[in-house]
Amino acid sequence: GLANEYECTEELISEAVELAKKKDIPMFMHVAELKKETENLIKEKRMGIIEYIAKLGVIQQKVTLANCINVGHREYDLLRRKNVAVVACPISNVLLAEGVAPAIEMASNGINVALGTDTFGVDVDSSMLAEAKMIALLDKVMFNRYSDINLIFKMLTSTGNWAIFNKGGLMQKGFSGDLITIDLKNDALVPTLQNPKSIMTSLMYAGSDGSINDTIVNGMILMKDRKLQTVNEEKLVDKLEKASKRIFG
């Protein structure tokens, strides 16, 4: 993957595209994240950021673009036609104070939008449910409307899998066996009406990682009754504490 469009030369981006084609692997790139750098590049190249990387061949193949905050409406059609996966990272965007990608607006325009957490350095929580709640609330602020819960749920599941080129996110034959179970008796979710719309709304706005009871990835149980099954949690925490003290003193 490439860091972003403004730190990479045209030659480097073009070479990365050719390498990805040769190896038949997808590309990943942070795009249009920082306002000043994006505006400078738009002024220099005299075209939008998506148009610029398209010119270099980036969106002519399998590619996932993170952030996409400063993307013009005229570029939506290009993203949609090329079936590009866009990963919005709302909490990271808010913490960096660089604006927020209009993720729901983009998804409503037929663009494949998923949710992500960016990196640990700018989003220490790294919670997908927190990202979902944040984008729902931000959409209300930006567009003065009620957010489409089903669309956000799709960003978390099927489109999220699309963004990492994994056949998953749906309970269908041939798809990866990935799922979580939710504890509806969790304090944050009580009371919840027992219908799909109410459950999803409660999970989106009141749920947290603590509401998740079990996690299964590709058929393997990684967490059962909130206990990690493949990692010794106490030893892991101890190692993290010691590493933290070595690094930060």
Side-chain angles (χ1 to χ4, degrees):
L2 296 171
N4 51 58
E5 74 284 1
Y6 58 86
E7 288 183 315
C8 297
T9 63
E10 291 190 9
E11 292 74 21
L12 177 59
I13 295 174
S14 297
E15 287 177 12
V17 169
E18 290 305 313
L19 180 61
K21 287 180 180 178
K22 183 179 179 180
K23 298 287 187 179
D24 190 28
I25 55 177
M27 285 186 67
F28 181 87
M29 189 176 186
H30 286 245
V31 170
E33 181 177 8
L34 304 181
K35 188 177 182 186
K36 182 179 178 182
E37 285 78 359
T38 301
E39 288 177 345
N40 288 341
L41 194 59
I42 290 174
K43 185 177 180 180
E44 176 189 340
K45 303 300 180 181
R46 297 184 179 181
M47 63 182 76
I49 295 300
I50 303 302
E51 293 168 324
Y52 169 62
I53 63 173
K55 172 190 164 189
L56 300 176
V58 173
I59 68 172
Q60 313 303 321
Q61 56 171 35
K62 293 190 294 185
V63 63
T64 296
L65 304 179
N67 297 302
C68 291
I69 299 171
N70 303 289
V71 173
H73 277 79
R74 72 176 186 276
E75 297 176 288
Y76 284 9
D77 184 56
L78 193 53
L79 291 169
R80 181 175 57 250
R81 284 191 292 106
K82 295 299 182 180
N83 232 7
V84 175
V86 171
V87 178
C89 307
I91 293 179
S92 167
N93 297 160
V94 169
L95 290 173
L96 291 174
E98 289 287 346
V100 177
I104 297 177
E105 180 75 3
M106 295 173 82
S108 299
N109 278 274
I111 299 170
N112 298 307
V113 181
L115 292 175
T117 61
D118 208 330
T119 66
F120 188 74
V122 289
D123 183 1
V124 295
D125 191 13
S126 294
S127 166
M128 293 301 292
L129 286 177
E131 299 288 347
K133 179 179 180 179
M134 178 65 79
I135 203 62
L137 295 176
L138 289 171
D139 187 66
K140 294 174 187 290
V141 173
M142 290 189 289
F143 297 102
N144 298 315
R145 65 186 178 191
Y146 287 105
S147 304
D148 185 340
I149 296 298
N150 290 322
L151 190 58
I152 298 173
F153 190 73
K154 185 180 178 183
M155 292 180 190
L156 284 172
T157 53
S158 57
T159 317
N161 276 271
W162 169 274
I164 59 173
F165 306 98
N166 177 57
K167 191 177 180 182
L170 295 172
M171 297 294 289
Q172 291 183 8
K173 184 178 180 180
F175 281 63
S176 59
D178 304 337
L179 62 90
I180 59 174
T181 65
I182 305 297
D183 180 11
L184 295 180
K185 299 297 184 182
N186 182 270
D187 292 347
L189 299 178
V190 176
T192 298
L193 298 177
Q194 298 302 302
N195 64 71
K197 184 176 180 180
S198 178
I199 290 173
M200 283 200 296
T201 301
S202 295
L203 183 62
M204 199 71 65
Y205 290 109
S208 67
D209 292 349
S211 309
I212 300 172
N213 202 53
D214 309 298
T215 301
I216 301 174
V217 176
N218 202 24
M220 179 181 291
I221 300 174
L222 300 184
M223 182 173 74
K224 182 177 176 61
D225 296 326
R226 298 209 49 76
K227 296 291 184 183
L228 297 180
Q229 302 297 297
T230 61
V231 176
N232 186 311
E233 199 166 350
E234 290 185 6
K235 288 184 178 180
L236 177 61
V237 171
D238 183 58
K239 285 183 178 180
L240 290 172
E241 292 287 359
K242 289 179 180 177
S244 177
K245 289 177 181 177
R246 284 200 310 271
I247 295 170
F248 301 108

